[in-house]
Amino acid sequence: MRTKSRKKNKINVITLGCSKNVYDSEVLMGQLRASGKDVVHEEEGNVVVINTCGFIDNAKEESVNTILDFVDRKSRGEVDQVFVSGCLSERYKPDLKKEIPDVDQYFGTTELPSLLKALGADYKHELIGERVTTTPKNYAYFKIAEGCDRPCSFCAIPLMRGGHKSTPIEHLVIEAEKLAASGVKELILIAQDLTYYGLDLYKKRRLADLLKELVKVDGIEWIRMHYAFPTGFPMDVLDVMKQEPKVCNYLDIPLQHISTPVLKSMRRGTTFEKTNALLARFRESVPQMAIRTTLIVGYPGETEEDFEILKQWVKDQRFERMGCFTYSHEENTHAYQLEDDVPAEVKQERANEIMEIQSQISWELNQQKIGQQYQVMIDRKRGNYFVGRTEYDSPDVDNEVLIDAGAHYCSVGEFVMVEITDAEDFDLYGVPVA
């Protein structure tokens, strides 16, 4: 029979899933530190908190496997306690308790005070903006709202995160100021739907107003927008992007599909024509904007004709950045009532086809960058290269700029002007210029 270790508890926070989970883990760690707890992120600790993802099948499988791994370590005496939080726990808590009973406690996405209490800490309401960032020191994810009010048929996020709830502008400015004081230069704005921001608090969309306040924060040099929704997009955001140098010429707007029948079944509130008109407006208003989107293939009822329309549209639009997912049939979503009638192998073939098209587009667009100079943020050193990004690229998902560390020195976390000397599908190579 194993005995519990007698050393002081060290709490190890494990983060799975999206950038919103990264943010939540950082807030949890900030609260724990404020209560004097010894907390680390994905290192060794005898108390483990697993912040799970429950979005699609692959993410759920990763979360379950991670829980099982740490429960096994607990049985061997390598850790003393295992707590599970986040989206998977919110969505499947009764099932998880039954199937994996050796977890000490499960907590949902809105139960931070209860989780802190279980860890021997108090929730401190006054800690506005206090976080322990786990990203490189120069950038931070910046969550401006929680939850979502959109009715998308395929998405389980409202089941796990609840309805849309904006954070007040004044609170976000305080948080930005604290991040800037700690050395953060780039804010990556995240939410389930950025463009809905403010409707619940102020009765109108106020993303543009928020951007105008954030650009005033000394030390913040780049502000990047992720996860905009196409329906009801507030066009005054484009004006701010044009007028404010700190607002990156970059927009992540998941469009999901383009065939009107598929969009209608997805409950996206738009059509082929409306989507193309919106993209044309983007290009006209901010010609240098890099648009990132994500697509879903294999949605129930997606025909070969729908897919051909999608392929041609990708070729025509020539998105600067794009990702593609295969449809995941999620229980309790509206689309779960439909027959998941596209075979798994066909879904994957379609995803591969889309990404092959995008790879060629990305290569062609990158070739045009050779000989051009860009301001580059240096995120880290990896092997023989310093790795950075232009304002047109977000961490982890977009192009990287590689600089030979044997020939050039760059300060991590700083900006450097770089001339691009070579380019591949998703990597750029460059040299610093005076």
Side-chain angles (χ1 to χ4, degrees):
M1 181 178 177
R2 75 178 190 89
T3 58
K4 185 173 180 178
S5 60
R6 296 183 179 180
K7 62 186 177 183
K8 181 184 175 183
N9 284 339
K10 178 183 283 190
I11 302 168
N12 177 21
V13 178
I14 307 290
T15 306
L16 304 171
C18 68
S19 55
K20 291 173 282 293
N21 265 16
V22 172
Y23 179 94
D24 292 344
S25 289
E26 292 175 348
V27 170
L28 168 64
M29 294 169 68
Q31 290 277 347
L32 289 169
R33 289 255 176 104
S35 287
K37 298 298 181 180
D38 187 4
V39 59
V40 294
H41 187 248
E42 299 183 356
E43 298 177 19
E44 290 300 316
N46 67 306
V47 177
V48 178
V49 179
I50 306 169
N51 189 2
T52 59
C53 179
F55 184 43
I56 57 177
D57 288 341
N58 289 344
K60 289 186 282 189
E61 182 179 356
E62 181 187 22
S63 292
V64 169
N65 288 341
T66 303
I67 296 168
L68 291 172
D69 176 47
F70 278 98
V71 164
D72 184 54
R73 294 190 199 186
K74 178 183 172 184
S75 71
R76 298 198 304 266
E78 297 174 12
V79 300
D80 294 325
Q81 292 178 295
V82 177
F83 299 95
V84 174
S85 67
C87 291
L88 188 81
S89 187
E90 175 73 30
R91 191 174 178 191
Y92 298 109
K93 190 186 295 185
D95 295 333
L96 288 168
K97 284 182 175 180
K98 181 180 178 181
E99 297 296 329
I100 315 177
D102 290 334
V103 167
D104 289 86
Q105 279 183 264
Y106 290 92
F107 298 92
T109 55
T110 61
E111 296 181 294
L112 176 59
S114 299
L115 173 57
L116 287 166
K117 185 176 181 181
L119 295 168
D122 295 320
Y123 178 69
K124 301 182 186 300
H125 293 272
E126 67 273 16
L127 293 181
I128 295 175
E130 293 290 343
R131 294 157 54 188
V132 176
T133 55
T134 58
T135 49
K137 64 180 181 179
N138 47 288
Y139 69 84
Y141 293 110
F142 195 72
K143 187 160 70 171
I144 68 170
E146 181 58 275
C148 187
D149 285 352
R150 301 292 185 177
C152 302
S153 66
F154 53 84
C155 187
I157 286 172
L159 301 173
M160 299 179 284
R161 293 280 181 174
H164 182 96
K165 186 178 180 182
S166 301
T167 301
I169 290 175
E170 59 271 23
H171 290 182
L172 292 170
V173 170
I174 292 170
E175 183 174 350
E177 289 171 344
K178 290 180 178 180
L179 289 168
S182 71
V184 169
K185 294 182 173 66
E186 177 182 6
L187 299 179
I188 303 174
L189 271 57
I190 57 173
Q192 296 308 140
D193 177 9
L194 285 187
T195 49
Y196 203 86
Y197 177 79
L199 269 175
D200 54 322
L201 282 181
Y202 309 111
K203 309 310 175 191
K204 66 176 183 176
R205 299 175 191 269
R206 293 198 61 187
L207 179 58
D209 293 338
L210 172 61
L211 292 171
K212 290 175 184 177
E213 294 303 314
L214 293 177
V215 299
K216 298 176 186 177
V217 177
D218 290 337
I220 298 300
E221 301 296 332
W222 279 357
I223 301 172
R224 184 181 305 282
M225 289 181 282
H226 271 224
Y227 316 127
F229 194 89
T231 306
F233 186 92
M235 292 301 173
D236 53 352
V237 168
L238 301 180
D239 296 329
V240 179
M241 186 180 285
K242 283 189 293 186
Q243 295 161 7
E244 295 290 351
K246 288 185 177 183
V247 179
C248 294
N249 292 307
Y250 178 101
L251 183 66
D252 184 332
I253 182 163
L255 296 170
Q256 312 301 6
H257 214 282
I258 194 57
S259 169
T260 295
V262 176
L263 289 170
K264 182 177 181 181
S265 182
M266 285 181 165
R267 305 170 87 190
R268 295 287 288 173
T270 189
T271 63
F272 179 100
E273 292 78 15
K274 288 180 180 178
T275 301
N276 284 340
L278 179 67
L279 292 170
R281 181 86 177 268
F282 288 168
R283 299 290 192 199
E284 179 183 356
S285 298
V286 189
Q288 65 271 45
M289 183 198 299
I291 300 176
R292 174 177 179 80
T293 195
T294 49
L295 305 176
I296 295 173
V297 293
Y299 181 84
E302 182 190 58
T303 64
E304 282 293 339
E305 181 183 0
D306 293 324
F307 181 61
E308 289 300 321
I309 291 170
L310 181 66
K311 280 201 302 182
Q312 187 59 51
W313 178 70
V314 170
K315 293 175 184 177
D316 293 342
Q317 286 293 337
R318 295 178 65 80
F319 292 105
E320 285 78 8
R321 314 283 180 258
M322 197 184 74
C324 187
F325 295 91
T326 57
Y327 170 75
S328 179
H329 207 44
E330 296 295 314
E331 62 265 45
N332 298 320
T333 63
H334 186 79
Y336 197 68
Q337 304 168 47
L338 305 176
E339 182 185 355
D340 187 12
D341 56 355
V342 181
E345 60 273 17
V346 175
K347 291 179 184 178
Q348 193 57 56
E349 287 169 5
R350 290 178 179 178
N352 292 343
E353 277 193 68
I354 291 291
M355 290 313 298
E356 284 176 17
I357 295 168
Q358 182 61 27
S359 178
Q360 179 64 27
I361 292 169
S362 183
W363 184 85
E364 291 170 2
L365 294 175
N366 281 349
Q367 297 308 300
Q368 299 172 14
K369 296 180 172 67
I370 295 174
Q372 303 295 316
Q373 294 184 4
Y374 296 91
Q375 187 182 43
V376 171
M377 168 71 78
I378 305 299
D379 285 335
R380 64 191 184 282
K381 185 174 183 290
R382 182 182 68 208
N384 297 323
Y385 291 96
F386 288 104
V387 181
R389 293 172 293 110
T390 72
E391 72 168 290
Y392 307 106
D393 298 289
S394 200
D396 300 325
V397 293
D398 292 330
N399 282 347
E400 292 180 330
V401 179
L402 305 178
I403 300 168
D404 186 350
H408 308 279
Y409 178 76
C410 300
S411 296
V412 173
E414 300 296 331
F415 289 103
V416 61
M417 190 61 68
V418 174
E419 180 173 327
I420 303 304
T421 57
D422 198 5
E424 297 177 354
D425 298 4
F426 301 108
D427 283 323
L428 302 171
Y429 295 84
V431 296
V433 294

